[in-house]
Amino acid sequence: MKLLLRNAKYILTLDPQRRILTNGSISIDEGRITDVGKSDDVLARQKGEQFERVIDCSRRLLMPGLINTHAHLHENLVKGLFPDNIDTTTWTLEWAYPYFHTIEPRDEYASALLTSLEMLRSGTTSFIESGVEYMKEALEAVKKVGIRAALSRLAMDRPPLNPPHTWPTDLVDKLYYDSAEKALADQETAIRLCKEEGTDRTIGWVALIGKRTCTKELYVGALELSQRLGVGYHFHMASSLEEAVATEKEVGCWPITFLENIGALGDNAVIAHAVALKDDEIDILRRRGVKISHCPGSALKLAKGMTKIGKFPEMLDAGITVGLGCDGACSSGSMDMVREMYLAATVHGDARMKASTIGAETAVEMATIHGARAMGLDNEIGSLEVGKKADMIAFNLQQISLTPQHDIVSNLVFSSNGQNVDTVLVDGEELVVDGKIVTVDVQEVIEETLIRAPEVARRASLTRDSRWPVS
Ligand SMILES: [Zn+2]
């Protein structure tokens, strides 16, 4: 289909020169960008072309679709259920794992649908998943929504020595593999399923829960498997000071050094969080070409120590790819990548009492071109350039919060949110039109979630007591 987005008030190209075009236009054919430039130039070059659809963008900002480099599809059914005042270990062991243990394929599908819709509606066109339990159902939901995704299956093979006494007796058997070999075989099966039943927009990746839940054999085997299959390798690591200290007690070093020592780091690895790093570990990540998914929203909500010990500006200075991620809807509270841009642009400057740290332009790069690099797709997405896939979004600028516009990048990061997005294209296909998702009946999904979410909480015996009286 030939498509013309014309007369955009602004286009953030994110091309190598980082050009911002005023009154710009973009033409698309067969899902790829065929022209981008000032409107007069594009219209002159495209003269005589027959466009099947022309979208007026005179009140819009066009930019590449946002790329969420760390997203949990199955967390959305428990958004708001886990207490806000618990640390990462309590959150994971006493709340998340009992929930994971409980969910059934139909829950996976419902949560994946809701999460994909939340991302798409707020301007995310691609994401890296962090490990589902039921790949078939997750894949179905993602395909239905039309968003681009790297999907993976959840894996861990090292249960805690002293699990919480509240764990159901079969939780360990259900969530943990009893050997790295079995975990890797299931990973390969899940990747094959994605290949056989997926689309051009979906790819299977290797993923581990990571942190202290996996054996050395599983870390090293996962890297080898991903390299053999030519896919990415994604896991949580160095997520908090608490984890780093516990790792040091056990193996004598912090988590990134541990991974380096066992040979588990490669240039296709994307590590989520990486909050607890020592200075020399930045160099390890740089040398190995490891990509980082920085998730400021969940780090703040779970009090991981990001503002106190995080070294994200230093990683960027070292030339490391640092994408942004929302983590799960339960751990961060939101799948809105615009919010993550705002946090990345602000919290590190505050921690160092230096306002020039990171800033708006770098935050936008992290959410787009860095994300594309993390996915291994920077030749295809992450910027608006001729030949790239037409994954792009438009912000409606005709709003109080976005008026006036002295600096459009500043507006985008500090004065906007994902609900200001009113158009989303993936492969040149319009998935959000005038703020409405066109691939799925959203109202139906909301109604279904409102029934299913309390049901799954009940089955998992998870209840949250309000600190204020509810009558
Ligand atoms: Zn996560």
Side-chain angles (χ1 to χ4, degrees), residues 70-72 75 91 130 209 211 234-236 272-273 295 298 304 326-328 331:
H70 183 62
H72 291 265
E75 269 189 26
W91 189 96
S130 321
I209 292 286
K211 298 184 280 189
H234 185 45
F235 54 99
H236 306 80
H273 301 307
C295 305
S298 76
K304 287 176 184 289
C326 294
D327 208 350
S331 61

Side-chain angles (χ1 to χ4, degrees), residues 315-332:
M315 282 193 259
L316 286 162
D317 288 345
I320 294 169
T321 294
V322 183
L324 293 177
C326 294
D327 208 350
C330 185
S331 61
S332 69

